[in-house]
Amino acid sequence: MYTKEELIEFENEVAHYFNSAMIKAPVHLYDDNEEQIIEIFKKHNIQKEDWVMGSWRSHYQCLLKGVPKEELKMAILEGRSISLCFKEHRVFCSGIVTGVLSIAVGVALGIKRKGGTNKVYCFMGDMTSETGMAHECIKYSRNHRLPIHFIIEDNGKSVCTDTRATWNQEVLTYENVNDEYITYYKYNLDKYPHAGAGIRVQF
Ligand SMILES: Cc1ncc(C[n+]2csc(CCOP(=O)(O)OP(=O)(O)O)c2C)c(N)n1
Ligand SMILES: [Mg+2]
């Protein structure tokens, strides 16, 4: 298990590579959510057999799931940060907003049908959680009691758009919902822009 400092060190390294024009594709960094994401992996005791699914912002999930640091770094340097997939480590991510959700539900359904004991952990941002696709996937998973847990990471925005202003909704649908199927947490993405690491890099 990584410490907060180790996660930040990895992210700083990626930011340095990006700002040095060594990565010729977008990177999406976190900042400020390290303690909360470590706690999720600890609390749920996420194991090798479990699946972790995420979005364009998924390097912390990869590290915490057990993807070796060097392997992850190489994938990011090769420009694959936006959709990191490591089948052998049971990590699957998609750069398409909501792209991963139905796949995560399908994998959970497969586990249930085969009588498996492992589980799917599916991460999504606040704007993703307000889409129709998220509502359907969460409803289906709850009603069919699938072995899946959704984690909603709320930084208040979708790129530069305020999620609450978009929907004219002060409290998001899953805000503060913490139960068998959902973990919701808030963090401030202040240090980095939505994509990149602060210095404009021409691909
Ligand atoms: C189908 C689709 N539409 C638009 C985009 C562009 N896009 C990439 S990330 C993103 C923001 C989504 O916001 P949120 O779910 O809150 O995630 P965050 O980036 O804040 O973690 C958008 C609109 C995309 N990747 N896919
Ligand atoms: Mg967001």
Side-chain angles (χ1 to χ4, degrees):
M1 188 57 78
Y2 287 88
T3 63
K4 173 183 177 175
E5 291 69 30
E6 286 166 337
L7 291 183
I8 293 172
E9 194 188 328
F10 183 86
E11 188 158 82
N12 286 343
E13 209 177 319
V14 174
H16 167 73
Y17 292 145
F18 185 84
N19 287 339
S20 311
M22 288 166 70
I23 306 173
K24 302 195 185 316
V27 294
H28 298 77
L29 303 176
Y30 266 117
D31 184 53
D32 184 55
N33 72 327
E34 294 82 10
E35 281 173 14
Q36 304 185 78
I37 200 166
I38 289 169
E39 182 54 32
I40 288 164
F41 275 78
K42 272 192 190 156
K43 183 180 164 199
H44 290 272
N45 193 20
I46 299 177
Q47 297 289 318
K48 250 184 141 92
E49 302 70 39
D50 296 323
W51 285 87
V52 166
M53 311 230 175
S55 68
W56 42 93
R57 200 184 305 288
S58 60
H59 50 293
Y60 281 171
Q61 287 85 341
C62 290
L63 288 174
L64 293 166
K65 181 64 177 43
V67 177
K69 220 197 265 188
E70 290 308 312
E71 196 178 336
L72 178 61
K73 203 187 297 177
M74 204 50 75
I76 294 173
L77 281 165
E78 284 167 0
R80 291 192 274 121
S81 179
I82 201 164
S83 50
L84 292 166
C85 293
F86 299 94
K87 204 168 105 185
E88 61 285 11
H89 299 290
R90 300 201 166 187
V91 170
F92 182 88
C93 302
S94 168
I96 305 296
V97 173
T98 75
V100 79
L101 305 181
S102 51
I103 296 169
V105 173
V107 171
L109 184 58
I111 293 172
K112 186 174 179 180
R113 283 183 179 165
K114 286 183 181 154
T117 52
N118 54 337
K119 212 165 164 170
V120 179
Y121 293 88
C122 180
F123 290 75
M124 72 181 99
D126 47 294
M127 186 60 98
T128 305
S129 76
E130 289 299 337
T131 62
M133 177 66 85
H135 286 245
E136 290 176 16
C137 285
I138 292 170
K139 175 172 62 180
Y140 189 92
S141 300
R142 276 193 194 282
N143 293 351
H144 287 273
R145 301 203 57 75
L146 299 187
I148 187 166
H149 191 82
F150 297 95
I151 300 100
I152 297 164
E153 307 181 295
D154 179 8
N155 58 15
K157 56 198 170 192
S158 166
V159 188
C160 300
T161 302
D162 186 302
T163 303
R164 286 164 179 78
T166 300
W167 299 103
N168 195 21
Q169 190 173 321
E170 265 176 49
V171 181
L172 297 183
T173 308
Y174 300 105
E175 190 160 346
N176 298 321
V177 175
N178 281 289
D179 61 23
E180 196 185 335
Y181 289 95
I182 292 175
T183 294
Y184 164 93
Y185 79 89
K186 241 183 190 161
Y187 72 103
N188 294 309
L189 182 60
D190 289 336
K191 187 170 166 190
Y192 297 112
H194 166 74
I199 293 177
R200 182 167 169 75
V201 174
Q202 198 70 43
F203 299 129

